Amino acid sequence: MDKDSVKKLIVLKYGEIADKGNTSCCSSGCCSGMSDDYSSLEGYNPDADMGLGCGLPTQYSGIKEGDCVVDLGAGAGNDCFVARGLAGESGRIIGIDTTPSMVEKAKVNAGKLGYANVEFIHGDIEDIPLPGATADVVISNCVLNLLPRKDKIFNEIFRVLKPGGHFSISDVVTVGKLPQEIRESPELYAGCIAGAIEKNDYLGYIKQAGFTEVEVQKEKEISLSQDLANKYQANNDFTILSVTVNGYKL
């Protein structure tokens, strides 16, 4: 799929999730071990939890009282509300998502909670609609794998961070190359598998963007369903991982 087709697919699929209230990005049950449990975290709101994450980036984010936090691919607002619990009333939380119905759902959730310092913006995170040096912290949860230009996204993250700022991102990567049949599957693309790139390439893009102290904070294996494992992994050597990575802008 070309870049435009990928983006249209993502907006369509995640629009359906927002409208129907699904709690999975992979309707066929393509994998397990993806989502982490948010329910014990301050700021957690079940209405905003669509089960679409692959980690807890806020756990390693170092968000402080008063920070400006930008969440890329904010969905219904789950990570934004947890970030607000850390940044407090003096902080500013900005969620960005490319799916209009997700943005509207997040705004409704924020309104119900009465959060005046949490805002949601419709936009493409390959071209983040914010001025440079806006954020103290950038977070994202299982979103960057969905977009074709990981290199451009990390350049954009570097641009919108203030000097001394940092990011904490949970995402899906691979060790070993995915077979072409997976790469060409729309369902597995929307399910955060087909668009994943190799871990070393992913970390390489982060360093090329100018980040220092790049560190994988957490790593866990994601298992394909038995049917997909039998079909694709029997004759192919690859592993799918969820990783949470931090990096700093000097």
Side-chain angles (χ1 to χ4, degrees), residues 207-226:
K207 293 170 184 175
Q208 288 171 19
F211 289 102
T212 62
E213 299 181 53
V214 177
E215 185 176 355
V216 177
Q217 300 288 345
K218 184 178 179 180
E219 181 175 294
K220 66 177 181 179
E221 184 171 347
I222 295 170
S223 300
L224 291 174
S225 68
Q226 192 60 55

Side-chain angles (χ1 to χ4, degrees), residues 149-169:
R149 292 291 307 276
K150 279 73 166 174
D151 56 339
K152 188 174 183 183
I153 296 170
F154 282 112
N155 286 332
E156 279 290 275
I157 293 170
F158 192 88
R159 179 184 67 80
V160 300
L161 277 170
K162 299 174 184 177
H166 63 279
F167 72 80
S168 180
I169 291 175

Side-chain angles (χ1 to χ4, degrees), residues 39-184:
S39 59
S40 64
L41 301 180
E42 182 180 353
Y44 173 76
N45 181 266
D47 291 339
D49 186 0
M50 308 295 289
L52 302 175
C54 60
L56 294 174
T58 51
Q59 185 177 4
Y60 303 94
S61 63
I63 295 170
K64 304 186 301 297
E65 188 85 16
D67 274 348
C68 177
V69 182
V70 173
D71 181 14
L72 303 180
N78 194 26
D79 287 286
C80 286
F81 300 138
V82 174
R84 197 263 186 191
L86 298 168
E89 293 185 7
S90 62
R92 181 188 181 194
I93 313 298
I94 307 168
I96 302 171
D97 203 281
T98 192
T99 303
S101 50
M102 278 292 187
V103 174
E104 291 309 309
K105 193 176 188 72
K107 288 180 177 179
V108 169
N109 288 333
K112 289 178 180 177
L113 295 167
Y115 290 160
N117 62 335
V118 181
E119 60 189 289
F120 294 96
I121 300 171
H122 176 250
D124 186 341
I125 64 173
E126 287 184 355
D127 294 288
I128 299 173
L130 293 173
T134 295
D136 297 291
V137 184
V138 171
I139 60 173
S140 185
N141 196 349
C142 211
V143 174
L144 273 58
N145 68 81
L146 296 169
L147 295 171
R149 292 291 307 276
K150 279 73 166 174
D151 56 339
K152 188 174 183 183
I153 296 170
F154 282 112
N155 286 332
E156 279 290 275
I157 293 170
F158 192 88
R159 179 184 67 80
V160 300
L161 277 170
K162 299 174 184 177
H166 63 279
F167 72 80
S168 180
I169 291 175
S170 296
D171 209 359
V172 178
V173 298
T174 69
V175 175
K177 291 187 179 297
L178 293 175
Q180 193 63 26
E181 297 94 326
I182 287 182
R183 293 280 187 209
E184 294 174 353

